């Protein structure tokens, strides 16, 4: 396969993956709808190979579960989500706290400056609301964690992120939410780069959420939206299976 053909195949894989991910996050696929390769391929107008690869990838990312030889959308569980949010907050804050507690530790300032440059670009040209913003947000928090110098914390955070991704996707449905996220990210980075770590800790705590009630309300709205979206997509799914 020449380089042009390989590039076209890579583009097709990415297109199929992003389309299927978007349908899952928007609730277009019923929660108990089995994702059969041939049906999904017909629905997306693609061949089975990129569909198969997308299903495997989405399973690894926590958006699909595998049961009885087939893939199904993950059904969010509010109790588990609350627990995972608590873990997420703990992991996020520990990155800054460990540097505060240990004078010998230092942030990777070059990495933080590069991260700041990326998000300054989003301030000038905000991304469109939707699931892609969630992935940008996850990338921000993982790079922020990595800059604190404990790879184990970062790996654990990545694992938790994958488990709450389906619910968090609903955080970024409006331009106002996207703009607020960009502003808050830059504020956290500014504080760390200025050496104001206590202020950065407070800003990060506010950003990720410090109230179980708020987290529960956000999760409940997300789950409700997912169920409503799934019901709306039920007819289309049945039609696609004929």
């Amino acid at each position: 396969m020449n380089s042009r053909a390989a590039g076209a195949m890579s583009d097709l894989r990415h297109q199929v993956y992003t389309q299927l991910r978007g349908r899952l996050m928007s609730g277009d696929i019923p929660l108990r709808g089995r994702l059969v390769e041939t049906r999904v391929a017909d629905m997306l107008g693609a061949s089975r190979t990129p569909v198969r690869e997308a299903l495997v990838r989405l399973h690894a990312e926590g958006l699909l579960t595998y049961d009885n030889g087939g893939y199904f959308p993950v059904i969010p569980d509010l109790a588990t989500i609350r627990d995972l949010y608590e873990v997420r907050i703990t992991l996020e804050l520990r990155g800054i706290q460990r540097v505060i507690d240990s004078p010998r530790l230092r942030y990777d300032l070059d990495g933080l400056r590069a991260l700041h440059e990326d998000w300054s670009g989003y301030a000038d040209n905000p991304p469109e609301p939707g699931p892609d913003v969630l992935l940008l947000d996850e990338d921000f928090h993982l790079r922020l964690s990595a800059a604190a110098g404990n790879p184990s914390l970062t790996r654990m955070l990545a694992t938790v992120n994958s488990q709450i991704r389906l619910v968090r996707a609903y955080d970024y449905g409006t331009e106002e939410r996207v703009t607020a996220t960009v502003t808050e990210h830059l504020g956290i980075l500014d504080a760390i780069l200025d050496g104001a770590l206590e202020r950065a800790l407070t800003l990060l705590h506010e950003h990720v959420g410090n109230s179980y009630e708020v987290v529960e309300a956000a999760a409940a709205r997300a789950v409700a939206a997912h169920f409503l979206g799934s019901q709306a997509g039920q007819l289309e799914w049945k039609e696609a299976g004929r």
Side-chain angles (χ1 to χ4, degrees), residues 216-231:
E216 184 173 13
R221 288 195 299 270
V223 171
H226 193 82
F227 271 94
L228 289 174
S230 294
Q231 291 172 2

Side-chain angles (χ1 to χ4, degrees), residues 85 88 92 115 118-119 122 127-128 130-145 157-158 161-162 164-165 167-172 177-186 188-189 204 207-209:
Y85 260 97
R88 180 196 175 209
E92 294 269 14
L115 185 57
D118 290 345
W119 281 83
Y122 297 137
E128 291 291 325
D132 285 342
V133 181
L134 168 60
L135 300 182
L136 292 175
D137 180 77
E138 286 186 6
D139 177 74
F140 170 88
H141 287 280
L142 291 178
R143 289 167 67 183
L144 181 66
S145 175
L157 179 60
N161 282 342
S162 70
I164 60 176
R165 185 173 290 138
V167 169
R168 291 198 63 232
Y170 294 94
D171 283 348
Y172 303 102
R177 175 58 178 153
V178 173
T179 299
T181 297
V182 173
T183 300
E184 291 165 11
H185 283 182
L186 291 174
I188 294 166
L189 290 172
L204 182 59
H207 176 64
V208 297

Side-chain angles (χ1 to χ4, degrees), residues 3 29-30 38 61 73 122 126 131 134 139 154 166 171 190 206 232:
S3 58
I29 298 175
T38 52
E61 292 178 354
Y122 297 137
L134 168 60
D139 177 74
T154 304
L166 184 61
D171 283 348
D190 285 337
E206 293 173 351

